[in-house]
Amino acid sequence: MNKTARIILIGIMLLLAGIGVGYFAQKQFGTSDSQPSVPADQQQPLEQVNPNPPEDSQVEPETKPETHAVTEPNYDPAIWKIEHNGVTSYLFGSIHMGDSSMYPLPEHIRNAFSESDILVVEIDMTNLNQMEIAQTVQKMAIDPDKPLKEHLSDTTAEKYDEYCTRTRSPCQMFSSFEPWFAAMTLEALAMQQSGYKEQLGIDMHFLNEAKNNKTIVELESFDSQLAMLDSMPAHLQDLMLLSTVTREEGATEKLVNAWKTGDVEAFLAESEMSAKDQGISDQDYQAFMDLFLYERNKGMADGIAELLEQGKSVFAVVGAAHYGGDKSVNYYLEQKGYKVTRL
């Protein structure tokens, strides 16, 4: 595999892990003019991060995190219960990259998963052909006729250069990529460099727990998520990259702590306030939220409802932000007549 293909594949692995929350939501959870949480002399060049990613369709965890824990956790991430025709199902908010401090999960969450028949996720990351995806991304994320810098506003280009110099990131690798892919990869790498791994994300944890003993159902597909990102308007891609390269120190830790407290509504309210503080227009903020959350939430609710009507006991694991706000997965399920109760 040549170097460019390897970089694409690494980006895909991190892209699939996802960040799962709004990029405009990062005044408290990621955006300011301060430095990233990892000092520059500790930053790993992109080509050295997971230089030999798995080439088969299975993504195995690096560790079984629960085997290292000896005490019950003292945190309470968000989980909701749905009771329908005598069958209990659950909605669990995920964060897509994690560390060993997140395990074991609280006992009531482990029990809810154990009692369920079906694991529902955004994408089954253990059932993907990585090399085929790499070829697709190479076609969609690379613009050979227009270098990355020509996609960017003057402000974003300036901040991008400052970030690349400060963090010693190999940004030359992104010279032909579109802004959305550069943003997603750099954001995920920042989490990885802070000690968080996609293998320890909540989605991957449950996918591996479900393997061979539960049915796994996807609500979306890699192609649909990729098409969503690739169709993003140019000015939103620019803002997305700007947010990534101006993330504040400790942003990753704040994001994980927000997940641990499970206060999704407060997080989304902070997201909107932060966007206003950064000068993001209401129109741009709503367009971003519609694209990343609200339009997808309705489809997720439809998929979950279809399983509920089949009498299945569902344990649905999607990004925690999908469960908050007036257009959440919860809201659309309630509109269909289901009672959704926070535990």
Side-chain angles (χ1 to χ4, degrees), residues 129-325:
N129 185 312
Q130 306 296 333
M131 298 312 298
E132 287 183 5
I133 292 172
Q135 293 171 359
T136 302
V137 171
Q138 188 164 8
K139 293 176 182 177
M140 299 185 72
I142 292 180
D143 186 351
D145 299 322
K146 189 175 183 180
L148 174 64
K149 289 292 189 67
E150 293 185 16
H151 288 273
L152 306 180
S153 66
D154 291 343
T155 298
T156 299
E158 178 183 356
K159 295 296 184 182
Y160 177 74
D161 285 341
E162 291 175 3
Y163 177 88
C164 294
T165 299
R166 184 176 67 245
T167 63
R168 302 179 185 176
S169 298
C171 294
Q172 68 275 8
M173 292 293 178
F174 298 114
S175 60
S176 297
F177 283 87
E178 295 178 7
W180 65 265
F181 188 83
M184 290 292 289
T185 307
L186 288 174
E187 186 72 27
L189 281 171
M191 288 194 73
Q192 190 179 68
Q193 290 164 351
S194 294
Y196 297 91
K197 302 176 181 179
E198 65 274 16
Q199 295 94 335
L200 295 180
I202 295 299
D203 314 70
M204 188 61 73
H205 167 75
F206 282 113
L207 282 166
N208 282 288
E209 289 292 308
K211 191 183 303 180
N212 301 324
N213 58 59
K214 289 188 188 293
T215 301
I216 299 172
V217 175
E218 298 177 301
L219 294 173
E220 299 181 318
S221 68
F222 177 77
D223 287 344
S224 69
Q225 289 200 354
L226 187 62
M228 172 195 70
L229 289 162
D230 193 52
S231 65
M232 190 185 309
H235 71 287
L236 291 184
Q237 292 192 41
D238 181 84
L239 290 172
M240 184 176 178
L241 183 56
L242 177 63
S243 180
T244 297
V245 299
T246 56
R247 66 195 315 271
E248 71 173 357
E249 184 176 357
T252 299
E253 289 71 23
K254 290 177 180 178
L255 173 62
V256 172
N257 286 335
W259 172 79
K260 285 183 174 182
T261 63
D263 197 346
V264 180
E265 300 296 339
F267 175 73
L268 290 177
E270 177 65 28
S271 162
E272 186 170 7
M273 183 65 68
S274 296
K276 291 180 179 178
D277 290 346
Q278 294 173 56
I280 305 299
S281 71
D282 289 342
Q283 182 178 4
D284 283 343
Y285 178 77
Q286 288 303 317
F288 190 90
M289 297 297 281
D290 284 342
L291 182 69
F292 269 75
L293 290 178
Y294 301 146
E295 292 177 2
R296 297 167 61 200
N297 289 347
K298 189 174 187 305
M300 289 181 180
D302 289 343
I304 293 170
E306 182 177 344
L307 294 170
L308 296 177
E309 290 305 313
Q310 295 173 12
K312 305 296 186 181
S313 176
V314 170
F315 190 87
V317 180
V318 302
H322 290 285
Y323 295 130

Side-chain angles (χ1 to χ4, degrees), residues 81-92:
K81 178 176 68 174
I82 305 172
E83 293 196 322
H84 180 64
N85 292 338
V87 178
T88 302
S89 295
Y90 300 90
L91 308 175
F92 184 46

